[in-house]
Amino acid sequence: MNIYRTYNCSQIRENNVGEEIRLAGWVDTIRDLGGVLFIDLRDQYGITQVVVSGDEQKVDFASKIPLESTITVSGKIRLRDKETINTNIETGTVELLANEIKILGKRSKPLPFEIENHKQVREDLRLEYRYLDLRARKNVENLVLRAKLLQFLRNQMIEQGFLEVQTPILTSSSPEGARDYLVPSRVYPGKFYALPQAPQQFKQLLMVAGIDKYFQIAPCFRDEDARADRSPGEFYQLDMEMAFATQEDVFAVMEKVIYNTFTKFSNKKVAKYPFPRIPYEEAMLKYGTDKPDLRNPLEIKDVTNIFETLDIKVFNGKIIRTITLPDGAKATRHFYDEMENFAIHHCKAKGLAWLKVNDDRTLQGPIAKLIPDEAKEALLNQTGTKEGDSIFFIAERKGIVEKLAGEIRKEIGIQQNLVDSDIFQFCWIVDFPMFEIGDNEKLTFSHNPFSMPQGGMEALLSKDPLEIYAYQYDIVCNGIELSSGAVRNHDPEIMMKAFSIAGYTEEEIMNRFSALYNAFHYGAPPHAGIAPGIDRMLMLLTDEESIREVIAFPMNSKAQDLLMRAPGKVTDRQLADIHIKLDIKK
């Protein structure tokens, strides 16, 4: 028998009345009503009210126990009086009349913050005392949900015939879109391991090895800046790969897993699969982003052709996009001023033109007089704008106009309450460009470098690289990218040609991808995969605004572990072991 407890703090019910039991947990609150003391005893599972009365010495002892100390209490269960029943907790109809109380772990330092008011505390303080922060009920619930979700995902994959395989953490550096975390070798001076940004090469090698369907709950490490939906350093994904598979095969597996997961762990509506497939270029035009929130019904239209021959100074020489707001003519002038301020101060736009369409189809707004009747009719017809609607205009050069229009579409949706917060809407973004112009004005991979180009070798040989599409795809939920995936390039000749277009020499390919390149010469199957982010799924399911709320021990936004004080200094002896001398300029 456990010497500290016979039940946990959520198990006690009316059928335990009269039973002698023992509980253990943290002192959550103490209420002294003069001779009678009430203690809310808390553990991971819930709360039970403990009553201390009758013995003055015992009451005095209990009243001096510091909150958040751990204690064990023995006594008899009894019914609460009807007027004191607490319907907010599972054990609210009963209480434990204490016979004996022992302090197991006394809190001897002041609390840095109140546990249940942790969200009102600055994040860095919460992360410094994360072991206290995690005691808050919402954080406990998030950790429990995470554990259940991981088990559910694992079972879903196993049921569909996938084999769980763990891949190495210490590996070689690979260009996968972010900076690597490097680990110096003690045995091989001047050489380094890298923590994997993803198990990309290993899972492809498993396909070559003959594993038909692979998955794992994979840790990934990327040295990149934090965002609300991105944790710096370490994150987890449901990594999977399938041999002899196409893009649609991956969709069929993942749509079922995603739908079942969100249906099980949320009370919100979940849009049924198959999820919409939206080509990348269409997404950038209609939504201004490759992560569209389909809960927002607004769409962006291109009207550049209408204004090419008109001399409107703010539009001249620019790409022009519009957003029609149904019934927008009813909106107040304050709303339009707010939108203009948003465009200028948040989006760094030069301004935001708008028009209202009156019931007689006349136009009202800052640029109404600049638009002749024939252009007006073409505008209304091309954008599907009706009487009583309004139109916003975004004019900029290519590459900027999409982002501006996307941000403004999003803000209009928020301002006008157009976004249904009670549903999960999914979509696939497909047909990504294989290449793009990078920061150094040179061609680079726009997505995963191991993707198969659409059209294979013929496309690489005959097409402008910027016009080549890849079998790459993202799954997006409510404006958040859950995952990227691709049909992989399993042909060594096509792989060599694709990397050469991106500026890699044969020697670089052999040095950086020798295992994968060599393996493809031994009979590689066509294969495809994807890796939805587990932390992002949990962020959506819990309605948390920051991804750090669903991770047990996250880094802060500056990639610091404030609890363990990492990154930190090491000794000269440790540096000598790995053949490193520091050259830090102050």
Side-chain angles (χ1 to χ4, degrees), residues 484-545:
S484 292
V487 175
R488 315 303 180 184
N489 189 343
H490 70 283
D491 186 311
E493 292 185 3
I494 298 177
M495 177 181 174
M496 186 71 75
K497 180 60 179 176
F499 273 88
S500 69
I501 291 174
Y504 290 83
T505 65
E506 184 173 355
E507 183 180 1
E508 286 177 312
I509 297 170
M510 290 303 299
N511 287 337
R512 303 190 74 170
F513 316 110
S514 59
L516 199 59
Y517 178 73
N518 289 331
F520 285 168
H521 287 82
Y522 290 91
H527 54 283
I530 196 169
I534 288 169
D535 308 298
R536 288 186 181 177
M537 283 192 223
L538 284 160
M539 181 182 170
L540 286 164
L541 288 167
T542 56
D543 281 326
E544 295 285 5
E545 293 183 2

Side-chain angles (χ1 to χ4, degrees), residues 39 50-53 58 73-76 96-101:
I39 298 174
V50 176
V51 182
V52 187
S53 65
K58 186 165 56 178
V73 185
S74 60
K76 185 178 290 187
L96 173 62
L97 182 61
N99 178 43
E100 182 182 34
I101 302 176

